[in-house]
Amino acid sequence: MEIVIAFGVAALLSFIGSVFLGLVNAAVIDTAIYRSEKSALWLAFGGVIPEIPYTLIAILGASYIEIMTQYKTQLSVAMGLIFLSMGLRYVLKNNPKPQHKNMLETGALANFSKGFFLALANPQLIFYWSGYLIIFQTGTFSNGKPFFTFNNSLLDPTKWGFALGASAGAFLILFIYTKLSSIYKEHLVRLIGNKLSYIIGGVFIVLGIITILKNFLPN
């Protein structure tokens, strides 16, 4: 039963946490509109794989978290630079017309790899899951009793249930984004024309600036 609870809790939190625009989300929407639904789904699939190792690292113990915490500023600045570079890429690129369904599907591996490396560039997921795990393990929301417990083994099925739930929740929201973007691609293109790249790029640039500056501004 703990495995099911761990999977469900992780899936719900991952779904909610993935609603907001991020590197993978934006890439999936862009790909669904300007390439194809299949390409976007491959990108989404690659984008949720790193959720598993990052979640397991968060579960495996304080020693890993302490090591990562020592480099939290550097990781944040690196993430900010990635946001900025992605933003500039979207702003400067030329959008092609949306692809039609009868066009040949290619590049599954390329789209999978793109999603994988975009998600891999976000190690802050470790801190995201660590915060929630502390809450759950201390029983903050369950009268002092943990929602679920992990044993010391890496093969603990509850650990893997939680990690797979995190990946499943992220994929679900990306799947929804893909379907909506594919269904309404013509409307979206008609509504915003070729401004989608500017909108996504602008969001990334703002996120990048905030991510970098928050490490140097006084609390």
Side-chain angles (χ1 to χ4, degrees), residues 22-44:
L23 288 174
V24 178
N25 306 50
V28 165
I29 294 171
D30 184 73
T31 302
I33 292 176
Y34 292 106
R35 293 189 183 180
S36 68
E37 180 179 329
K38 185 175 180 181
S39 294
L41 287 174
W42 273 110
L43 196 151

Side-chain angles (χ1 to χ4, degrees), residues 36-217:
S36 68
E37 180 179 329
K38 185 175 180 181
S39 294
L41 287 174
W42 273 110
L43 196 151
F45 182 50
V48 301
I49 299 299
E51 288 271 356
I52 298 174
Y54 281 156
T55 305
L56 288 173
I57 290 173
I59 293 172
L60 283 176
S63 59
Y64 292 92
I65 304 304
E66 289 173 2
I67 293 172
M68 295 298 293
T69 301
Q70 294 175 13
Y71 300 98
K72 189 172 183 179
T73 298
Q74 291 90 329
L75 289 172
S76 295
V77 172
M79 192 63 199
L81 292 174
I82 291 172
F83 276 130
L84 285 174
S85 64
M86 287 295 296
L88 291 172
R89 175 180 172 274
Y90 275 104
V91 168
L92 296 175
K93 83 170 188 174
N94 293 318
N95 282 330
K97 293 181 179 179
Q99 300 281 17
H100 297 288
K101 290 183 179 179
N102 60 354
M103 294 192 70
L104 182 64
E105 294 285 356
T106 57
L109 180 59
N111 285 294
F112 175 88
S113 300
K114 180 179 179 180
F116 179 82
F117 286 111
L118 283 175
L120 200 65
N122 187 20
Q124 292 187 24
L125 281 171
I126 298 171
F127 302 106
Y128 174 83
W129 287 115
S130 296
Y132 278 116
L133 286 166
I134 290 172
I135 292 173
F136 294 137
Q137 295 304 307
T138 56
T140 302
F141 296 133
S142 52
N143 297 321
K145 183 178 180 181
F147 279 163
F148 42 81
T149 56
F150 303 121
N151 64 38
N152 294 327
S153 172
L154 179 61
L155 301 178
D156 175 21
T158 306
K159 288 179 181 176
W160 282 93
F162 190 90
L164 292 173
S167 183
F171 185 79
L172 179 58
I173 189 64
L174 292 175
F175 178 82
I176 292 172
Y177 280 148
T178 298
K179 285 295 182 181
L180 291 176
S181 299
S182 297
I183 293 170
Y184 298 108
K185 68 164 64 177
E186 300 293 344
H187 298 285
L188 289 170
V189 172
R190 193 180 307 117
L191 178 65
I192 60 180
N194 61 356
K195 298 182 180 66
L196 179 63
S197 286
Y198 296 111
I199 294 170
I200 294 175
V203 171
F204 277 145
I205 290 171
V206 171
L207 285 174
I209 293 172
I210 293 174
T211 302
I212 293 172
L213 289 181
K214 73 178 182 180
N215 293 284
F216 303 102
L217 294 176

